[in-house]
Amino acid sequence: MDRKTKQRLTLNLIDVLKSLASYNDKGVVWMKHTAAEIEENRQQYADRLSRLRNAMVPANLTEEAHAFFDSPDLLKDPTHGHLQQLRNLIKEYRFYIDY
């Protein structure tokens, strides 16, 4: 995968995580969603994250990147903590196998 594609996919991932954290932080309350609606929205985010992971080609990702995607609380984090974790993995060259 070329560098430009990696950058595009990574920026898309960051955008999805920002949106997800905002939804979990205040969106749930502002939208007055029921538990079923919250679960449905989180499933939509899970589907988007899965598509991004597949587009990144799982064989190109480190074990730490896979652990990031597999984190059980990734879809529920309202703190942007996972976004910072992702940024650290990228900054420290620990997200993709080759850069």
Side-chain angles (χ1 to χ4, degrees):
M1 175 183 315
D2 64 48
R3 183 177 177 90
K4 196 171 190 175
T5 301
K6 284 180 185 176
Q7 288 175 336
R8 180 180 52 79
L9 291 170
T10 302
L11 289 174
N12 286 345
L13 177 58
I14 289 169
D15 287 345
V16 171
L17 291 174
K18 282 181 184 177
S19 176
L20 175 58
S22 294
Y23 175 75
N24 285 329
D25 181 27
K26 296 196 174 48
V28 171
V29 175
W30 288 344
M31 295 177 179
K32 298 180 181 171
H33 279 173
T34 64
E37 290 169 322
I38 292 168
E39 193 57 38
E40 181 181 330
N41 276 332
R42 287 183 178 155
Q43 185 56 53
Q44 290 173 2
Y45 278 108
D47 293 344
R48 290 171 67 189
L49 291 170
S50 179
R51 285 192 303 272
L52 276 170
R53 183 183 198 174
N54 288 333
M56 291 174 170
V57 184
N60 291 332
L61 302 175
T62 65
E63 287 183 30
E64 287 174 288
H66 285 290
F68 171 82
F69 278 109
D70 294 337
S71 173
D73 51 322
L74 179 64
L75 295 174
K76 297 178 182 179
D77 177 32
T79 67
H80 294 269
H82 283 90
L83 182 59
Q84 187 57 49
Q85 180 187 4
L86 173 66
R87 286 181 173 148
N88 289 340
L89 288 172
I90 292 166
K91 185 172 87 174
E92 297 167 5
Y93 301 101
R94 297 180 354 223
F95 191 75
Y96 290 104
I97 288 177
D98 60 342
Y99 279 87

